[in-house]
Amino acid sequence: MKSEGRARRLHTFLLLAAGLGAFLFRVPLLSQRPMHTDEAVHAVKAGILLDEGVYTYNPYEYHGPTLYYFSLPFIALSGAESFREIPNEAPLRIVPVLFGTALVFLLFLIRDGLGRRATLCAAVLTAVSPAMVYFSRYYVQEMLLVFFTFAAIVAVWRYTRAKKFPWALGAGVCLGLMHATKETSVIAYGSMLAAALLTMAWTRYIDHRQLRVRDYIHHWHAAGAVKVALVVSLFLLTAFLSNPAATWDAVRTYGFYLSRAGTGDSSTHGPALHLHPWHYYLQMLLFFRSGPGPGWSEAFILLLAALGLIFALRRKREGEGNIYLHRFLAFYALLMTAAYTLIPYKTPWCLLGFLHGMILVSGIGASSVYGRLRKVWLKGLAVILFALASCHLAAQAYRAGFVFPADTRNPYVYAHTSTDLLNLVRRTETLKQLHPQGDRMVIKVFAPESDYWPLPWYLRKFENVGYWSGVPAEPEAPVLITMPALEEKLGARLHRSYRKEFFGLRPEVLLMVYIEEPLWDRFIESRAGPSEPGT
C-alpha cells in the first residue's frame, strides 16, 4: 500500500513537471516572431471588442469569439486600456500558451483510464511536440479548440465513472465552447460520436461483450448536456443575446465553409491557396526538408500512435488503463486523421486536432510496448529510447519556435509575414519622431484585394492611417505604403516628390514605402546623428 502511494505521488510529480516544462517551453519571447496575417486579423477583432465592447459573428470568416474574450484579462494585465495601447504580441499569444499547457494538466483527470505510463508518455509528447509547441504560441483559435475538445472527452469519461450530473454539465459547457470557438468543431463532434459507436461494435466483435449506452449514461443527463452546449454556444455567438441574427448565421455558415473546404480559397491571399494533396499533413509530420534547411520529423509520435492503435484494437483487458477508453481514443484519432486528410482545404495549424489524438494514442502505444517487455534491461532500454526521441522532438520544437520562427525552412511556417516587415515598422516609428504631428502623422496604405495585413496591427499606434484596396483619387500623404502592382497608377496621381524604399511582406511579396521628400531629408539628417531606434 505504501509503495502504491509512493508510486502515485511520483507519477503526480512527474505530470506536474511535464506541465511546468510545457509552459516554460512555450512562454519565452512571445513577441519575437512577426505577426502572421491571421494573427493580426484576430488581434484587430480583439481590439474592437476591447474598444467598443462589440463582437459580431461573421458567417463568412473569423470564427467564434472565445479567443477574443479570453484575451481581455491579459490585455488588462498588460496595462492597456485600448487596442492602441497593447504593448506587443505577448498579452495576446499568452492565451494559446496557457491552453496548450493546460492540455498536459487535463491528463490528471483521465489517467485512471489511460493508465499511468500512458498518461505520462502523452504528457511528455504533448509538452515537446514541435507542432504543439509552435502553434501554442500562435494567436489563432486552434489550440483553444483542441483544449475544449479534449476537456469534453475528459468530462464524459469522468461522468461514465460516477454518473454525476456536474460532469455531464461540464461536458456540455466544453461542447458549447468548441462550437463558439471554431466551426470545424463539427468534425470533432462527428469523430467522437462515430468513435463511440465503433468502440461498441468492435468490443462486441472482439470481446463478445455488448456495451449498452444506458449502463454508462442517463438519457436525461445527456439531454441536459446538449441543452447546455446549445446555450453556451448561442450565448457567446450572439454576444450575450445582443445579436439574435447570429443564431441563423451559425447555421448558414456551413454552406460557405463547405465550399471553401473543396476549393481551398483564401479570403485574404486568393483562390486555391490552401488547396493541398491528401498526404500534406502526414508528409509534414513524417519528414520535411526545404532546400538547405534542417530535417524535421514527428515520426516517433506517428509510430507510437500506430502501435497504440494496434494494441487498443487487438488486445483484450490486460495491462494498464481502460480498454474501452483506449479503443475510443484509437478510433477517434483515426477518424480525425482521415477527416482532415481527405478535406482538400489544409493549413498547418489544422493538424493539431488529430495530432493531439495521435499523442494520446501514442501514450497507449508506449505503455503497451513497455508492459510487454519482460527483461529489466529491455525496459531500461525502452525508457532511454523514449527519452532520446523526446529530446529530439524538443530540440526541433526549440528550433521551430526560436531559431526558425518565421523561416520557410520551418514546416509550420505558412504564408508567414517576413521579418523584414519589422524594419518597415521601425522606419515608421522613426519617421513619426521626425514629423511635427508625431502619432497623428498621416499614413496611407494601398494594396490590391486589401492584401496589406498584418499592417493594421503594427500601425495601431498611429491615429491617422487609411487603408484602400486601390489607389484613391487623392493619395498624397507624408508616408505611403503600396505594392508594385499599383506603382504606375499611384505615380500618375502624385504631385509631390517622394523617396522609395522596399520591404518584404511575405516570401516573394514586396511592399513599397513612399516617404515625402522633406521628411526623407530629415530622416537622412537624423542618421548623421544618434543611431536610429531599433537598429
Short mmCIF file of all heavy atoms in Angstrom, two decimals, residues 37 45 60 67 117 130 134 139 185 208 241 257 259 304 338 354 363 385 447 457 474-475 489 492 503 526:
data_model
loop_
_atom_site.label_atom_id
_atom_site.label_comp_id
_atom_site.label_asym_id
_atom_site.label_seq_id
_atom_site.Cartn_x
_atom_site.Cartn_y
_atom_site.Cartn_z
N THR A 37 -0.63 37.06 -40.86
CA THR A 37 -1.85 37.76 -41.28
C THR A 37 -3.05 37.36 -40.42
O THR A 37 -3.80 38.21 -39.93
CB THR A 37 -2.15 37.48 -42.75
OG1 THR A 37 -1.17 38.13 -43.56
CG2 THR A 37 -3.52 37.96 -43.16
N LYS A 45 -9.69 42.14 -34.26
CA LYS A 45 -11.03 41.80 -33.77
C LYS A 45 -11.09 41.88 -32.24
O LYS A 45 -12.08 42.37 -31.67
CB LYS A 45 -11.41 40.39 -34.23
CG LYS A 45 -11.45 40.21 -35.74
CD LYS A 45 -12.62 40.92 -36.36
CE LYS A 45 -13.92 40.18 -36.14
NZ LYS A 45 -15.04 40.81 -36.88
N TYR A 60 -18.93 34.29 -42.64
CA TYR A 60 -18.02 34.05 -43.75
C TYR A 60 -16.56 33.94 -43.32
O TYR A 60 -15.72 33.45 -44.08
CB TYR A 60 -18.13 35.20 -44.77
CG TYR A 60 -19.52 35.43 -45.26
CD1 TYR A 60 -20.28 36.51 -44.80
CD2 TYR A 60 -20.12 34.55 -46.16
CE1 TYR A 60 -21.58 36.71 -45.24
CE2 TYR A 60 -21.43 34.74 -46.60
CZ TYR A 60 -22.14 35.83 -46.14
OH TYR A 60 -23.43 36.02 -46.57
N LEU A 67 -11.58 33.22 -28.35
CA LEU A 67 -10.20 33.70 -28.34
C LEU A 67 -10.15 35.15 -27.87
O LEU A 67 -9.27 35.55 -27.09
CB LEU A 67 -9.59 33.57 -29.74
CG LEU A 67 -8.15 34.04 -29.91
CD1 LEU A 67 -7.19 33.17 -29.11
CD2 LEU A 67 -7.75 34.04 -31.39
N ARG A 117 1.40 4.98 -17.04
CA ARG A 117 2.50 5.08 -18.01
C ARG A 117 2.05 5.81 -19.26
O ARG A 117 2.76 6.68 -19.77
CB ARG A 117 3.02 3.68 -18.36
CG ARG A 117 3.78 2.98 -17.27
CD ARG A 117 4.53 1.79 -17.83
NE ARG A 117 3.65 0.84 -18.51
CZ ARG A 117 3.17 -0.27 -17.96
NH1 ARG A 117 3.47 -0.55 -16.69
NH2 ARG A 117 2.39 -1.08 -18.62
N PRO A 130 6.87 19.44 -31.66
CA PRO A 130 7.16 20.72 -32.33
C PRO A 130 5.91 21.47 -32.78
O PRO A 130 5.81 22.68 -32.59
CB PRO A 130 8.03 20.30 -33.52
CG PRO A 130 8.69 19.04 -33.09
CD PRO A 130 7.69 18.35 -32.22
N TYR A 134 4.84 25.02 -31.29
CA TYR A 134 4.85 26.16 -32.21
C TYR A 134 3.49 26.85 -32.25
O TYR A 134 3.39 28.08 -32.15
CB TYR A 134 5.25 25.70 -33.61
CG TYR A 134 5.45 26.83 -34.59
CD1 TYR A 134 6.61 27.59 -34.56
CD2 TYR A 134 4.49 27.14 -35.54
CE1 TYR A 134 6.82 28.63 -35.45
CE2 TYR A 134 4.68 28.18 -36.43
CZ TYR A 134 5.84 28.92 -36.38
OH TYR A 134 6.02 29.96 -37.27
N TYR A 139 -1.51 33.13 -32.30
CA TYR A 139 -2.78 33.74 -31.89
C TYR A 139 -3.90 33.42 -32.88
O TYR A 139 -4.41 34.27 -33.60
CB TYR A 139 -2.61 35.25 -31.74
CG TYR A 139 -3.78 35.92 -31.06
CD1 TYR A 139 -4.08 35.65 -29.73
CD2 TYR A 139 -4.58 36.83 -31.74
CE1 TYR A 139 -5.16 36.26 -29.10
CE2 TYR A 139 -5.67 37.46 -31.12
CZ TYR A 139 -5.95 37.15 -29.80
OH TYR A 139 -7.02 37.75 -29.18
N SER A 185 -15.44 22.49 -35.31
CA SER A 185 -15.78 21.62 -34.17
C SER A 185 -16.69 20.48 -34.60
O SER A 185 -16.68 19.41 -33.97
CB SER A 185 -16.47 22.44 -33.08
OG SER A 185 -17.63 23.10 -33.59
N HIS A 208 -16.90 -10.15 -27.52
CA HIS A 208 -18.21 -10.77 -27.39
C HIS A 208 -18.96 -10.19 -26.19
O HIS A 208 -19.65 -10.90 -25.45
CB HIS A 208 -18.08 -12.29 -27.23
CG HIS A 208 -17.27 -12.92 -28.33
ND1 HIS A 208 -17.67 -12.94 -29.64
CD2 HIS A 208 -16.05 -13.51 -28.28
CE1 HIS A 208 -16.74 -13.54 -30.37
NE2 HIS A 208 -15.75 -13.89 -29.58
N LEU A 241 -26.70 37.53 -26.42
CA LEU A 241 -28.06 37.73 -26.93
C LEU A 241 -28.28 39.12 -27.54
O LEU A 241 -29.42 39.46 -27.87
CB LEU A 241 -29.10 37.48 -25.84
CG LEU A 241 -29.01 36.12 -25.11
CD1 LEU A 241 -30.12 36.01 -24.07
CD2 LEU A 241 -29.07 34.97 -26.10
N TYR A 257 -18.39 27.44 -45.55
CA TYR A 257 -17.18 26.71 -45.19
C TYR A 257 -17.05 25.40 -45.96
O TYR A 257 -15.94 24.96 -46.28
CB TYR A 257 -17.13 26.46 -43.68
CG TYR A 257 -16.62 27.67 -42.93
CD1 TYR A 257 -17.48 28.52 -42.26
CD2 TYR A 257 -15.27 27.97 -42.92
CE1 TYR A 257 -17.01 29.64 -41.59
CE2 TYR A 257 -14.78 29.09 -42.26
CZ TYR A 257 -15.65 29.92 -41.59
OH TYR A 257 -15.19 31.04 -40.94
N SER A 259 -17.97 25.03 -49.02
CA SER A 259 -17.47 25.46 -50.32
C SER A 259 -15.97 25.70 -50.28
O SER A 259 -15.23 25.23 -51.16
CB SER A 259 -18.20 26.74 -50.75
OG SER A 259 -17.64 27.25 -51.95
N LEU A 304 4.43 5.46 -32.58
CA LEU A 304 3.81 5.02 -31.33
C LEU A 304 2.28 5.02 -31.45
O LEU A 304 1.61 4.16 -30.86
CB LEU A 304 4.23 5.94 -30.19
CG LEU A 304 5.67 5.80 -29.68
CD1 LEU A 304 5.94 6.77 -28.55
CD2 LEU A 304 5.96 4.37 -29.23
N ALA A 338 -8.33 10.87 -40.70
CA ALA A 338 -8.94 10.63 -42.01
C ALA A 338 -9.70 11.85 -42.50
O ALA A 338 -9.60 12.24 -43.67
CB ALA A 338 -9.87 9.42 -41.93
N PHE A 354 -6.09 16.33 -34.87
CA PHE A 354 -5.81 14.89 -34.96
C PHE A 354 -4.44 14.55 -34.38
O PHE A 354 -4.22 13.44 -33.90
CB PHE A 354 -5.96 14.38 -36.40
CG PHE A 354 -4.89 14.80 -37.36
CD1 PHE A 354 -3.69 14.13 -37.42
CD2 PHE A 354 -5.12 15.84 -38.26
CE1 PHE A 354 -2.71 14.49 -38.34
CE2 PHE A 354 -4.16 16.21 -39.18
CZ PHE A 354 -2.94 15.54 -39.22
N GLY A 363 0.72 7.52 -26.26
CA GLY A 363 0.96 7.12 -24.87
C GLY A 363 0.54 5.69 -24.62
O GLY A 363 1.24 4.93 -23.93
N LEU A 385 15.34 5.04 -24.91
CA LEU A 385 14.97 5.37 -26.29
C LEU A 385 13.84 6.40 -26.32
O LEU A 385 13.85 7.33 -27.14
CB LEU A 385 14.55 4.11 -27.04
CG LEU A 385 15.67 3.11 -27.36
CD1 LEU A 385 15.11 1.85 -28.01
CD2 LEU A 385 16.71 3.76 -28.28
N ALA A 447 -3.30 48.45 -51.31
CA ALA A 447 -2.89 47.09 -51.71
C ALA A 447 -4.04 46.41 -52.43
O ALA A 447 -5.19 46.51 -51.97
CB ALA A 447 -2.46 46.27 -50.51
N TRP A 457 -2.18 45.81 -37.46
CA TRP A 457 -1.68 45.55 -36.11
C TRP A 457 -0.46 46.41 -35.83
O TRP A 457 -0.37 47.09 -34.80
CB TRP A 457 -1.34 44.08 -35.93
CG TRP A 457 -0.41 43.80 -34.79
CD1 TRP A 457 0.92 43.53 -34.84
CD2 TRP A 457 -0.74 43.78 -33.39
NE1 TRP A 457 1.45 43.35 -33.59
CE2 TRP A 457 0.44 43.51 -32.68
CE3 TRP A 457 -1.92 43.99 -32.68
CZ2 TRP A 457 0.48 43.42 -31.29
CZ3 TRP A 457 -1.88 43.91 -31.30
CH2 TRP A 457 -0.70 43.63 -30.61
N GLU A 474 -7.07 61.01 -54.23
CA GLU A 474 -6.09 61.89 -53.60
C GLU A 474 -5.19 61.06 -52.68
O GLU A 474 -5.44 60.93 -51.49
CB GLU A 474 -6.81 62.98 -52.81
CG GLU A 474 -7.68 63.90 -53.69
CD GLU A 474 -8.35 64.98 -52.89
OE1 GLU A 474 -8.10 65.06 -51.66
OE2 GLU A 474 -9.13 65.74 -53.47
N PRO A 475 -4.12 60.50 -53.21
CA PRO A 475 -3.29 59.59 -52.44
C PRO A 475 -2.20 60.25 -51.60
O PRO A 475 -1.52 59.58 -50.83
CB PRO A 475 -2.66 58.72 -53.52
CG PRO A 475 -2.53 59.64 -54.69
CD PRO A 475 -3.72 60.55 -54.63
N LYS A 489 -0.14 53.39 -61.40
CA LYS A 489 -1.34 54.19 -61.15
C LYS A 489 -1.09 55.22 -60.06
O LYS A 489 -1.54 56.38 -60.14
CB LYS A 489 -2.51 53.29 -60.77
CG LYS A 489 -3.82 54.03 -60.56
CD LYS A 489 -4.96 53.08 -60.26
CE LYS A 489 -5.33 52.27 -61.50
NZ LYS A 489 -6.56 51.45 -61.25
N ALA A 492 1.03 58.23 -61.32
CA ALA A 492 0.29 59.18 -62.16
C ALA A 492 -0.51 60.18 -61.34
O ALA A 492 -0.92 61.23 -61.87
CB ALA A 492 -0.63 58.41 -63.10
N PHE A 503 10.36 46.81 -48.81
CA PHE A 503 10.39 45.90 -47.65
C PHE A 503 9.60 44.64 -48.00
O PHE A 503 8.63 44.69 -48.76
CB PHE A 503 9.78 46.57 -46.42
CG PHE A 503 10.52 47.77 -45.93
CD1 PHE A 503 10.19 49.04 -46.40
CD2 PHE A 503 11.55 47.65 -45.01
CE1 PHE A 503 10.86 50.17 -45.96
CE2 PHE A 503 12.23 48.77 -44.56
CZ PHE A 503 11.90 50.03 -45.03
N SER A 526 18.96 62.84 -39.55
CA SER A 526 18.97 62.17 -38.25
C SER A 526 19.95 61.01 -38.22
O SER A 526 20.48 60.66 -37.17
CB SER A 526 17.57 61.68 -37.89
OG SER A 526 17.20 60.56 -38.68
#
